[in-house]
Amino acid sequence: MNRYYWILGAFAALVVLLAVGLGLNPRDIPSPLVGKPVPAFRLAQLADPDKTFGPEELHGKPWLLNVWASWCVSCRQEHPLLVEFSKKVDVPLIGLNYKEVRGDGEFDMSKLPADEEKKLALQRATSWLRDHGDPYRLTAMDIDGRVGIDFGVYGVPETYVIDKDGIIRMKHTGPITPDVLTKKILPLLAGLSK
């Protein structure tokens, strides 16, 4: 009889664990960077490659960093929402164009010279934003993906909410949805703006 209760208890615990697991969002991947300073970087800007951008330029105000690429299907899904966000919310939205040429797997990178890769990346990103709208205050070009590595990017899109002191307060993996925007990002930004 005692053995029966042990088996029943183990089965009940397994059911509870499975139920909890099914309720979790597989896109909510915790980031070790949340609560830590944004990684330092300096990258060329898409609109003017002779100019660079670094996160220290936004010190003193909260901002968002959205990692995207023209080859990213999910980026296309969230993009109209970002365009609307940029029109309605006075928070800097910075784009980080990630592995624009390398990410799509179309080219043998060992045979593509760096200057051609940069030129092609600038053309693709510029064309994509021209065709779909440009929600970004500026876009920094992470052509080789090194800055993405510092952020722990493993896929696009990813979005980071950064406070006025340069501390990452949230990471969202995958496309931003209206629900994520209204229930998570906007309330967090409202608190950070105080």
Side-chain angles (χ1 to χ4, degrees):
M1 189 69 154
N2 202 10
R3 183 176 179 204
Y4 170 75
Y5 288 121
W6 278 105
I7 293 172
L8 185 60
F11 180 74
L14 181 64
V15 168
V16 168
L17 285 174
L18 288 173
V20 168
L22 288 173
L24 298 176
N25 182 350
R27 292 191 180 275
D28 284 343
I29 300 168
S31 171
L33 292 180
V34 172
K36 295 190 175 142
V38 66
F41 65 87
R42 183 137 297 276
L43 292 172
Q45 294 184 29
L46 174 62
D48 185 352
D50 293 331
K51 290 184 179 177
T52 60
F53 168 78
E56 71 280 355
E57 295 175 35
L58 292 172
H59 191 78
K61 59 181 92 173
W63 56 289
L64 273 74
L65 180 74
N66 178 253
V67 185
W68 67 280
S70 67
W71 47 262
C72 166
V73 175
S74 295
C75 297
R76 190 167 298 207
Q77 179 184 347
E78 79 173 356
H79 199 75
L81 191 61
L82 294 177
V83 171
E84 286 304 309
F85 170 86
S86 70
K87 291 176 184 175
K88 296 178 181 175
V89 180
D90 188 30
V91 172
L93 174 59
I94 305 298
L96 181 68
N97 182 264
Y98 179 72
K99 292 185 173 181
E100 182 59 47
V101 176
R102 296 173 188 221
D104 70 3
E106 187 178 322
F107 292 93
D108 178 354
M109 296 313 298
S110 66
K111 296 179 181 175
L112 187 66
D115 59 332
E116 287 185 38
E117 179 185 8
K118 182 178 179 181
K119 181 180 176 185
L120 186 57
L122 294 170
Q123 288 172 347
R124 284 182 176 188
T126 300
S127 177
W128 198 86
L129 290 175
R130 183 180 56 244
D131 292 347
H132 297 15
D134 188 351
Y136 305 111
R137 182 158 298 175
L138 66 89
T139 294
M141 298 298 293
D142 188 14
I143 293 173
D144 60 10
R146 290 177 198 241
V147 171
I149 290 170
D150 291 342
F151 274 90
V153 171
Y154 68 90
V156 288
E158 290 186 7
T159 303
Y160 298 82
V161 177
I162 301 158
D163 73 13
K164 64 183 178 176
D165 297 318
I167 305 297
I168 297 174
R169 294 299 173 192
M170 179 185 157
K171 174 185 177 182
H172 178 75
T173 302
I176 293 175
T177 62
D179 197 46
V180 168
L181 185 63
T182 57
K183 292 182 180 174
K184 291 183 177 181
I185 294 175
L186 290 176
L188 178 57
L189 286 173
L192 294 175
S193 296
K194 291 180 181 177

